[in-house]
Amino acid sequence: MEQERTEINDLGEFGLIDFLTRNIEIQNASTVLGVGDDAAVIDHFGKQTVISTDMLVEGIHFDLMYVPLKHLGYKSVVVNISDIYAMGATPTQITMSIAFSNRFSVEALNEFYEGVYAACEKYGVDLVGGDTSNSQKGLIISVTAIGEVAPDQFIKRSTAQKGDLLCVSGDLGAAYLGLTLLEREKRIYLDSPTVNPDLENQTYIIGRQLKPEARKDIIEFLQESDIKPTAMMDVSDGLSSEILHIAKQSNLGVVLYEEKIPIAQESKEIALKFGLDPTAAALSGGEDYELLFTMKQEDYDKIVLNEQISVIGYMADISEGAHIITKGGNKFKLVSQGWNAFQQ
């Protein structure tokens, strides 16, 4: 049975916006006025406002040969609100702008927005505006996330202190390995369209790539445990790249222990199958959206029982530089080989 296809032109821009935003329900008291006027109105009642913007471009950041539109909508929200959590703030609103070519139907865009709304509902965020436009080819997504934080309680990258513990949430490298598997199956399909894709039941790594989650739970845990990280950011471009950002901006050195880097068993197994080093996938892969943070040593006892937080190293004097100690006890300079959109 062929799926129904409604052309965008049948609705027009305002009709399309009305259609895609027809079921919005406001979740935050700070959202005074949402979609439907010339601008949204937000009142954070004495708190400070945190704002972050990300752009996702087809062919650079995602491939629609293997990324379902609903997953893409979900992910485009999550990657933005992850940046808000990385400031120690609570995301409250987003704006969503998309540009698309005429190969997209109303049904396709509706599927994308189903993912957007699923993420908004999960994280308690209101969609309060945006824009739609034509594009010459492909799909372009721009999301702005807005959050709130108590005055001057936001957490920067540049405020780590010598002796602080370096910590990361969750596990690393899985999203990159999921991408590697999807890319492998895409190449096989392009060579032999009759061959069915074999994702080898790798639901964990595929899920980490197609449907990442922001670590709201970690922020809540830190707040409940009365831990204020001294510096923090999310892991979007690879662990080594992010560690070097914190070290550089805090004017410090850093020591990272390879054996302490958290890598899921599924990731280790598939990495070895692909002939990849699991540590390299964790250091350079990116798109894990875990939280990397530094904290005072005296707070260690507060996190020791949390299995979702790993201490992976410590911040040192700048004269020590940035190094990784391997499992074999060797010391190497830590280099940034994270994902870079400008090196395709």
Side-chain angles (χ1 to χ4, degrees):
M1 181 178 142
E2 199 171 323
Q3 233 183 344
E4 190 182 344
R5 178 184 170 96
T6 308
E7 298 299 331
I8 304 291
N9 291 343
D10 293 349
L11 295 182
E13 182 180 8
F14 290 112
L16 176 66
I17 292 169
D18 286 344
F19 177 75
L20 294 175
T21 60
R22 64 197 183 281
N23 294 324
I24 287 181
E25 290 180 14
I26 299 301
Q27 304 184 71
N28 292 283
S30 55
T31 306
V32 179
L33 193 60
V35 172
D37 235 291
D38 290 304
V41 179
I42 296 168
D43 182 351
H44 277 142
F45 312 112
K47 292 192 174 178
Q48 288 177 332
T49 301
V50 180
I51 301 169
S52 177
T53 298
D54 260 324
M55 187 175 277
L56 300 168
V57 179
E58 184 178 352
I60 302 292
H61 301 98
F62 60 89
D63 187 329
L64 289 177
M65 271 199 74
Y66 52 73
V67 178
L69 283 166
K70 189 172 181 179
H71 286 70
L72 182 62
Y74 190 92
K75 184 173 180 175
S76 63
V77 175
V78 165
V79 302
N80 272 270
I81 62 178
S82 179
D83 284 329
I84 302 296
Y85 287 126
M87 298 295 292
T90 301
T92 46
Q93 289 89 13
I94 61 161
T95 65
M96 165 77 65
S97 295
I98 55 172
F100 42 83
S101 64
N102 59 10
R103 81 174 204 266
F104 291 90
S105 64
V106 171
E107 287 77 15
L109 294 183
N110 192 53
E111 197 179 317
F112 173 83
Y113 270 85
E114 279 183 18
V116 169
Y117 292 132
C120 285
E121 187 176 340
K122 173 155 187 174
Y123 292 97
V125 170
D126 294 328
L127 174 65
V128 296
D131 193 17
T132 60
S133 175
N134 282 336
S135 103
Q136 290 279 304
K137 62 172 192 173
L139 178 63
I140 300 166
I141 305 158
S142 178
V143 182
T144 296
I146 299 158
E148 61 182 32
V149 66
D152 299 322
Q153 291 300 300
F154 54 85
I155 302 164
K156 301 192 289 185
R157 301 175 180 180
S158 58
T159 41
Q161 303 290 316
K162 179 181 170 182
D164 283 351
L165 299 176
L166 181 66
C167 308
V168 74
S169 66
D171 61 83
L172 302 168
Y176 170 75
L177 293 164
L179 179 64
T180 304
L181 179 56
L182 289 165
E183 284 284 348
R184 182 194 74 178
E185 292 306 308
K186 174 189 168 183
R187 285 193 300 274
I188 292 171
Y189 173 78
L190 290 174
D191 290 341
S192 313
T194 55
V195 176
N196 284 329
D198 179 12
L199 298 178
E200 303 182 25
N201 293 321
Q202 292 291 336
T203 52
Y204 182 68
I205 64 167
I206 299 287
R208 291 280 285 179
Q209 170 57 223
L210 294 181
K211 189 174 175 283
E213 300 291 356
R215 296 311 305 254
K216 174 184 182 181
D217 58 324
I218 298 295
I219 295 300
E220 289 173 345
F221 169 79
L222 293 172
Q223 290 170 347
E224 289 161 8
S225 305
D226 198 27
I227 299 169
K228 187 182 178 187
T230 49
M232 186 157 60
M233 64 185 299
D234 70 338
V235 181
S236 53
D237 296 334
L239 180 65
S240 59
S241 170
E242 319 300 19
I243 288 174
L244 290 171
H245 278 306
I246 287 179
K248 181 182 178 185
Q249 293 191 26
S250 296
N251 212 25
L252 292 170
V254 64
V255 177
L256 170 68
Y257 294 94
E258 181 188 12
E259 66 182 5
K260 302 288 188 187
I261 298 171
I263 301 172
Q265 187 60 33
E266 296 97 322
S267 300
K268 291 177 183 175
E269 289 169 6
I270 199 77
L272 296 174
K273 193 168 185 180
F274 287 155
L276 298 169
D277 176 11
T279 300
L283 288 174
S284 302
E287 288 203 293
D288 289 307
Y289 300 104
E290 297 293 350
L291 290 172
L292 176 72
F293 61 94
T294 56
M295 68 174 199
K296 294 182 172 66
Q297 289 190 28
E298 52 261 38
D299 283 333
Y300 175 74
D301 288 345
K302 297 177 183 175
I303 64 155
V304 72
L305 293 177
N306 189 324
E307 294 179 357
Q308 286 296 308
I309 297 175
S310 302
V311 178
I312 57 173
Y314 65 91
M315 305 310 292
D317 191 84
I318 192 168
S319 62
E320 288 194 39
H323 291 93
I324 180 168
I325 310 291
T326 67
K327 290 173 184 171
N330 296 314
K331 186 177 180 181
F332 291 104
K333 186 177 179 186
L334 189 64
V335 291
S336 175
Q337 291 179 319
W339 189 84
N340 186 335
F342 296 100
Q343 293 178 349
Q344 291 297 301

